[in-house]
């Protein structure tokens, strides 16, 4: 007889005091309320969750058995197994998908659902430790759900659990410590940022007047490490050991006595072993990991690091999905970041769905490389047995949900059909009649991103239109136009300042028509959709396309403005700066438009890509240009370009009306002279 799951089904726990299981029941009860109607039947069905270790089940494994029409039992190897068992029922029988909240999944309520008679046993997940690093979380930090910041983080961790995740770095810097307790209460393992080994306080914050040198202050460093161990010793922790500088940079940036790779590697190796010793004093059978990230990978590849055999080595991608070392500034060695096929140790990965590098990364829009490339890279990781630890930089979750769901399937199943996965993902949120068209637009998104480098994976996220743009504006306003901007060599190479402007213009000019066409296709399809699907579509894909299109269009106009400024064609430079300002402002408006319902304020704290700051910089540039060309009287352009020919040379009064504002003057001059397309 099938089990009848109803809204009033009772959930019983064999560990009623377990916070993780209590939270799982709370999620499950909300799922029941969202998907089922109140029942008028007298039948009282119950689910019994037995999460005591045993039953012949491995950690995190669960078994679901229908014992009668009124009783279902979930047996699990541990608390996480019990949580996964409840969420399995929720997804398979109630239809609540992992990203239901982030894209407003629509539910059609039923009287009840039936779970067929029999027994189901879960299979092990492909990757051992599976987690998210909630990093650069500036949107989440200022947004609230029903007036609560805690509820935002609760929803992040809930989604991770629904994705089969078991581990989190619960925020960056202070946030990671603030949210640690909630993550533990949700049942998750804790791990740490590569810049914050052991999750300890940053030395420079605690001892701002001391040099952050382990050679000078080993006792102070070890005291901080010991405090972190004591604070977490009763939690499930994957201890990140290692040593970097104060902030996300090499330690020799702070301690310049280490001049050779050998010296640097020797100190890091010594510190790792000392950290492991300290942890073992307080924790039985600890799990260790260390990041081979950036400069650390270079040291490891050169043979300068001695990593203990029981430490999981975490290999990092480029930030753009390719398993090579990341670019830092203009330094781009692209060391292979795949473990050797015969590597005898334990290996895992740090992979970016979201990235922030002040250059060309993707923070408020999807990664620029195709899901096929990402799947290929991750499959190679699995083939190399880099399967002990996957920590995924999830950023602010919502913009990257599609990629996060793709990774979920890989860390769970170990294989993926990219095209079928996308259809399955989209069918959750849209009527079937729209799925193929939306899938095609996703393909077009990844095909439209700018290829800026010599390697196929060197493609531009939305920050490409903003950070370099602000660099160029600042150089012009600060009189640095006679020399090349070394900070932009990562993109342009060693060419002159004017040529750097032309380089960025050429890249964006070649792409802007494609983005415009894609934006128009998205708007057309959105207009065909009924609400609420049209809102969901714009917030999922439409806004990201608009961010790219308006950014690309704005950067072309900005480059033209700067070139005109260098030629002292101030009127044309002013109009083109206004065109850039207008385009970038449309990007801000697109983010505002995406904030429907409880998403109000989601993009408020966009302070990393910071489209609003680019708008400010363009406005400042326009004011500067007007000062040069129309000052100090600020009426000569109006007279020379907007007055009738017969009135231009008659100056009985300098002006008869208030001076035109920059916006008014821009619109009139643009109408008269034209601007960018």
């Amino acid at each position: 007889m099938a089990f009848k799951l109803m809204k009033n089904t009772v959930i019983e726990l064999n560990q009623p005091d377990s916070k993780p299981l209590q939270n799982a029941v709370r999620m499950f009860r909300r799922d029941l309320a969202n998907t089922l109607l109140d029942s008028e039947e007298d039948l009282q069905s119950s689910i019994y969750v037995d999460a005591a270790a045993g039953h012949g089940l491995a950690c995190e494994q669960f078994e679901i058995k229908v014992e009668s029409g009124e009783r279902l039992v979930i047996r699990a190897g541990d608390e996480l197994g019990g949580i996964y068992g409840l969420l399995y029922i929720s997804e398979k029988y109630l239809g609540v998908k992992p990203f239901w909240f982030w894209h407003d999944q629509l539910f059609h309520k039923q009287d009840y659902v039936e779970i067929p008679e029999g027994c189901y046993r879960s299979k092990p997940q492909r990757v051992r430790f599976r987690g998210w690093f909630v990093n650069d979380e500036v949107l989440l930090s200022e947004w609230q759900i029903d007036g609560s910041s805690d509820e935002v983080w609760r929803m992040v961790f809930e989604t991770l659990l629904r994705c089969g995740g078991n581990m989190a770095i619960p925020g960056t810097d202070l946030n990671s410590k603030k949210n640690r307790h909630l993550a533990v209460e949700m049942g998750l393992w804790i791990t740490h940022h590569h810049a914050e080994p052991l999750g300890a306080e940053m030395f420079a914050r605690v001892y701002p007047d001391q040099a952050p040198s382990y050679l000078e202050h080993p006792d102070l460093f070890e005291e901080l490490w010991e405090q972190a161990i004591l604070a977490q010793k009763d939690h499930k922790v994957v201890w990140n050991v290692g040593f970097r500088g104060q902030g996300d940079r090499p330690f020799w940036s702070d301690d310049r006595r280490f001049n050779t790779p050998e010296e640097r590697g020797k100190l890091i190796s010594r510190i790792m072993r000392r950290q492991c010793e300290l942890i073992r004093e307080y924790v039985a059978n600890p799990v260790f990991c260390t990041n081979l990230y950036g400069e650390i990978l270079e040291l490891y590849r050169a043979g300068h690091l001695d990593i203990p055999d029981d430490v999981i080595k975490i290999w990092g991608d480029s930030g753009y999905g390719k398993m090579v070392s990341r670019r830092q500034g203009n330094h781009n060695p692209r060391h292979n970041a795949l473990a050797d096929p015969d590597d005898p140790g334990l290996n895992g990965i740090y992979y970016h769905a979201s990235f922030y590098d002040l250059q060309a990364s993707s923070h408020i829009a999807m990664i620029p490389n195709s899901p096929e490339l990402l799947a290929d890279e991750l499959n190679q990781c699995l083939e190399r047995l880099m399967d002990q630890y996957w920590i995924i930089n999830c950023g602010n979750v919502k913009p990257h949900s599609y990629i996060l769901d793709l990774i979920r399937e890989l860390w769970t199943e170990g294989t993926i059909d990219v095209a079928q996965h996308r259809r399955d993902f989209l069918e959750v949120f849209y009527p079937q009649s729209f799925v193929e068209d939306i899938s095609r637009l996703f393909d077009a998104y990844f095909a439209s991103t700018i290829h800026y480098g010599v390697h196929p994976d060197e493609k531009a996220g939305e920050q490409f239109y903003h950070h370099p743009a602000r660099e160029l504006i600042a150089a012009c306003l600060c009189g640095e136009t006679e020399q090349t901007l070394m900070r932009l060599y990562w993109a342009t190479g060693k060419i002159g300042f004017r040529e750097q402007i032309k380089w960025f213009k050429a890249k964006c000019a070649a792409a802007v028509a494609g983005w415009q066409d894609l934006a128009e296709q998205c708007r057309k399809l959105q207009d065909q959709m009924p609400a609420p699907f049209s809102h969901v579509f714009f917030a999922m894909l439409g806004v990201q396309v608009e961010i790219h299109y308006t950014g690309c269009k704005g950067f072309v106009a900005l480059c033209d403005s700067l070139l005109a400024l260098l030629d002292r064609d101030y009127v044309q430079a002013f109009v083109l700066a206004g065109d850039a300002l207008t385009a970038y402002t449309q990007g801000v408006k697109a983010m505002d438009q995406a904030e429907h319902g409880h998403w109000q304020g989601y993009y408020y704290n966009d302070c990393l890509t910071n489209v609003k700051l680019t708008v400010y910089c363009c406005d400042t540039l326009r004011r500067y240009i007007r000062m040069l060309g129309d000052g100090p009287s600020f009426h000569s352009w109006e007279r020379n370009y907007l007055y009738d020919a017969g009135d231009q040379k008659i100056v009985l009064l300098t002006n008869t009306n208030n001076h035109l504002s920059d916006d008014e003057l821009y619109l009139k001059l643009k109408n008269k002279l034209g601007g960018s397309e």
Side-chain angles (χ1 to χ4, degrees), residues 538-551:
F538 185 76
M540 179 187 287
L541 181 63
V543 66
Q544 299 196 27
V545 172
E546 294 290 344
I547 287 169
H548 272 279
Y549 169 48
T550 57

Side-chain angles (χ1 to χ4, degrees), residues 30-71:
R30 189 204 317 118
D31 293 348
L32 293 175
N34 284 341
T35 58
L36 299 178
L37 297 166
D38 292 327
S39 175
E40 297 180 1
E41 292 190 39
D42 294 331
L43 178 70
Q44 182 76 69
S45 62
S46 67
I47 295 175
Y48 180 68
V49 182
D50 180 358
H55 311 299
L57 297 168
C59 291
E60 302 184 6
Q61 194 175 21
F62 63 87
E63 179 182 271
I64 297 173
K65 185 176 182 180
V66 173
E67 295 190 341
S68 70
E70 301 175 12
R71 182 173 172 82

Side-chain angles (χ1 to χ4, degrees), residues 603-632:
Y603 288 103
Y604 166 77
N605 199 39
D606 164 37
C607 61
L608 295 184
T609 296
N610 210 335
V611 181
K612 295 186 296 293
L613 182 59
T614 309
V615 169
Y616 168 83
C617 289
C618 288
D619 192 26
T620 302
L621 173 67
R622 190 175 65 168
R623 291 171 185 269
Y624 172 77
I625 294 168
R626 187 175 183 185
M627 184 73 70
L628 292 176
D630 197 32

Side-chain angles (χ1 to χ4, degrees), residues 192 196-200 222 224-230 232-235 237-242 271-290 310-311:
H192 312 114
E196 300 173 288
L198 282 67
E222 292 186 15
L224 293 177
W225 298 337
E226 192 166 14
Q227 289 171 1
I229 295 166
L230 289 171
Q232 301 169 83
K233 66 182 179 64
D234 296 324
H235 304 326
V237 179
V238 181
W239 299 93
N240 194 310
V241 296
I271 286 174
M272 277 197 289
R273 291 188 179 276
R274 178 57 181 149
Q275 290 169 337
C276 291
E277 289 174 0
L278 288 171
I279 293 166
R280 287 194 179 97
E281 291 179 13
Y282 297 96
V283 180
N285 303 313
V287 182
F288 302 118
C289 66
T290 193
D310 59 346
V311 175

Side-chain angles (χ1 to χ4, degrees), residues 1 17 77 92 96 131 191 218 236 297 371 410 442 537 643 664:
M1 178 182 293
D17 296 329
K92 184 170 180 62
V96 180
T191 191
K236 297 181 296 185
L297 177 58
L410 277 163
F442 267 81
F537 173 73
Y643 281 15
E664 291 169 333

